[in-house]
């Protein structure tokens, strides 16, 4: 959990990285911003649900697409409020729902996710087996957390489960969502470009499952954005255009365009 200040900075940085053309909205709650304040945070998050519900009721009105990215314990009130809104207004929809390191009970999510699936363009889960904050939460709450892949990723039809265990995070392993460039590149492909996991170069199929691993080398945000622009403008000719840009690039830009070429080629092949 983070402070209002740190959460606002991360939301702004994410909007910048996505080159998001719409309105970025940030919803926070009174968190202590530290592991030692966990019990206080757990008590504070529940009264936040009505406020989030009112916020979502306004944000889902009219035309346009609302994408939601929730992190850690923020998933608790987001999912609770979203379920209430969809029950009261079953005709409303949202775009991508991204659950990053969600500190929510796994069994509860499994029991309730069907309504969310019917009302979203897609649900993506990012989890890690090295998330120490969620391991502490499991001990405190007595249940496996959705964002902890230590016992394996949850496998649900319609949910793209991505294991971020292969990338380095902070000491607690809980802020990889905002800190790891590999994951930011994947979110750009998901939210900004609408690419399915198989078309995103930042993830690889997890052997023997329908799940995905974040590739440690990832795909830089800038290269994913450039590849998306080329594909939008040139379609199937984007590979040839990227090759022309690579051939004419000065030496210091060759690596960048080589990466863009690889992203375009991967997307068009998948």
């Amino acid at each position: 959990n983070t402070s209002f200040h740190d959460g606002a900075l991360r939301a702004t940085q994410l909007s910048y990285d996505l080159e998001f053309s719409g309105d970025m909205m940030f919803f926070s709650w009174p968190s202590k911003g530290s592991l030692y304040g966990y019990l206080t945070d757990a008590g504070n998050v529940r009264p936040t649900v009505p406020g989030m519900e009112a916020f979502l009721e306004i944000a889902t009105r009219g035309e346009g697409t609302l994408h939601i990215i929730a992190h850690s314990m923020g998933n608790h009130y987001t999912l609770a409020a979203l379920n209430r809104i969809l029950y009261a207004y079953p005709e409303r929809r949202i775009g991508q729902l991204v659950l990053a390191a969600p500190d929510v009970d796994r069994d509860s999510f499994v029991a309730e996710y069907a309504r969310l699936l019917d009302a979203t363009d897609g649900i993506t889960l990012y989890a890690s087996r090295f998330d120490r904050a969620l391991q502490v939460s499991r001990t405190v709450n007595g249940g496996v957390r959705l964002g902890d892949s230590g016992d394996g990723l949850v496998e649900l039809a319609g949910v793209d489960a991505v294991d971020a265990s292969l990338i380095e995070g902070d000491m607690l392993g809980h802020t990889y969502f905002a800190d790891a460039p590999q994951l930011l590149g994947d979110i750009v492909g998901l939210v900004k470009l609408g690419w399915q996991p198989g078309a995103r170069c930042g993830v690889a199929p997890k052997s023997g499952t329908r799940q995905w691993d974040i590739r440690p080398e990832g795909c830089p945000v800038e290269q994913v954005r450039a590849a998306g622009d080329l594909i939008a403008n040139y379609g199937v000719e984007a590979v040839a255009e990227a090759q022309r840009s690579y051939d004419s690039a000065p030496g210091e830009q060759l690596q960048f365009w080589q990466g863009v070429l690889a992203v375009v080629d991967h997307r068009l092949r998948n």
Side-chain angles (χ1 to χ4, degrees), residues 25 40 58 65 72 75 118 128 149-150 152 158-159 180 189 198 200 204 213 216 245 250 259-260:
M25 295 177 283
T40 301
I58 296 172
T65 302
S72 188
N75 282 270
D118 292 338
S128 171
S149 62
V159 176
R200 304 199 304 263
D213 280 315
S245 296
V260 173

Side-chain angles (χ1 to χ4, degrees), residues 96-116:
Q96 296 294 334
L97 175 61
V98 179
L99 312 176
D103 187 2
V104 297
D105 183 81
R106 179 187 293 190
D107 291 341
S108 296
F109 178 80
V110 171
E112 299 173 354
Y113 90 104
R115 181 181 289 126
L116 299 173

Side-chain angles (χ1 to χ4, degrees), residues 60-110:
T60 55
R61 294 177 188 174
E63 299 180 355
T65 302
L66 175 68
H67 302 296
I68 298 176
I69 300 176
H71 177 245
S72 188
M73 199 180 287
N75 282 270
H76 179 91
Y77 65 75
T78 299
L79 293 173
L82 192 54
N83 268 302
R84 291 186 185 183
I85 287 295
L86 295 177
Y87 180 80
Y89 305 95
E91 77 284 357
R92 297 194 182 182
R93 291 188 57 83
I94 63 171
Q96 296 294 334
L97 175 61
V98 179
L99 312 176
D103 187 2
V104 297
D105 183 81
R106 179 187 293 190
D107 291 341
S108 296
F109 178 80
V110 171

Side-chain angles (χ1 to χ4, degrees), residues 6-22:
D6 290 346
L9 284 177
R10 287 179 178 177
T12 303
Q13 183 64 52
L14 182 60
S15 178
Y16 174 82
D17 289 333
L18 291 174
E19 288 189 340
F20 191 62
S21 58

Side-chain angles (χ1 to χ4, degrees), residues 146-170:
L146 183 61
D148 180 4
S149 62
D151 292 332
L153 277 171
V154 66
E155 190 162 343
L156 297 169
V159 176
D160 294 324
V162 181
D163 196 336
S165 300
L166 296 179
I167 59 177
E168 295 183 5
D170 65 344

